[in-house]
């Protein structure tokens, strides 16, 4: 996770604009959604706002941390890692 965020922070603006930031925001939103569903079953998850392409790395780290706090099994951790790794590959960073 830290590696992905660091790569986003180091990426040129052109790469962020070509989709890396959007991919990071999408995975941050997904991780946030999963954390909220575990914390408040039955409640409608709130969508993480778009704070801009330069904030995507931080949003990703916050969402990942929030999810890590509530994960209950090794399988859930492995699934979250898979989701992040796939997003990193799509982002091209």
């Amino acid at each position: 996770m830290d590696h992905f965020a660091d790569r986003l922070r180091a990426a040129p603006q052109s790469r962020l604009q070509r989709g890396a930031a959007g991919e990071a925001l999408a995975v941050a939103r997904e991780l946030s959604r999963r954390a909220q569903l575990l914390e408040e079953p039955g409640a409608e998850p709130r969508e993480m706002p778009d704070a801009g392409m330069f904030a995507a790395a931080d949003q990703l780290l916050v969402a990942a941390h929030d999810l890590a706090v509530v994960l209950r099994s090794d399988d859930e951790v492995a699934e979250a890692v898979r989701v992040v790794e796939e997003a990193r590959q799509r982002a091209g960073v």
Side-chain angles (χ1 to χ4, degrees), residues 23-56:
E23 192 62 49
L25 177 60
V27 76
R29 284 177 169 167
E30 175 59 21
L31 298 178
S32 175
R33 184 189 71 77
R34 290 176 186 220
Q36 290 177 61
L37 290 172
L38 288 170
E39 289 178 320
E40 301 171 3
E44 183 68 29
R46 297 162 308 282
E47 183 174 78
M48 179 178 282
D50 183 346
M53 72 177 138
F54 298 113

Side-chain angles (χ1 to χ4, degrees), residues 3-83:
H3 179 70
F4 186 12
D6 289 343
R7 297 291 304 264
L8 286 166
R9 287 187 186 109
Q13 183 174 348
S14 60
R15 174 153 299 165
L16 295 174
Q17 289 172 323
R18 284 194 311 264
E23 192 62 49
L25 177 60
V27 76
R29 284 177 169 167
E30 175 59 21
L31 298 178
S32 175
R33 184 189 71 77
R34 290 176 186 220
Q36 290 177 61
L37 290 172
L38 288 170
E39 289 178 320
E40 301 171 3
E44 183 68 29
R46 297 162 308 282
E47 183 174 78
M48 179 178 282
D50 183 346
M53 72 177 138
F54 298 113
D58 294 326
Q59 288 182 287
L60 177 61
L61 287 176
V62 167
H65 178 268
D66 289 351
L67 181 59
V69 170
V70 297
L71 290 177
R72 299 172 290 211
S73 71
D74 290 342
D75 290 340
E76 289 176 341
V77 171
E79 173 64 13
V81 169
R82 183 191 64 75
V83 167

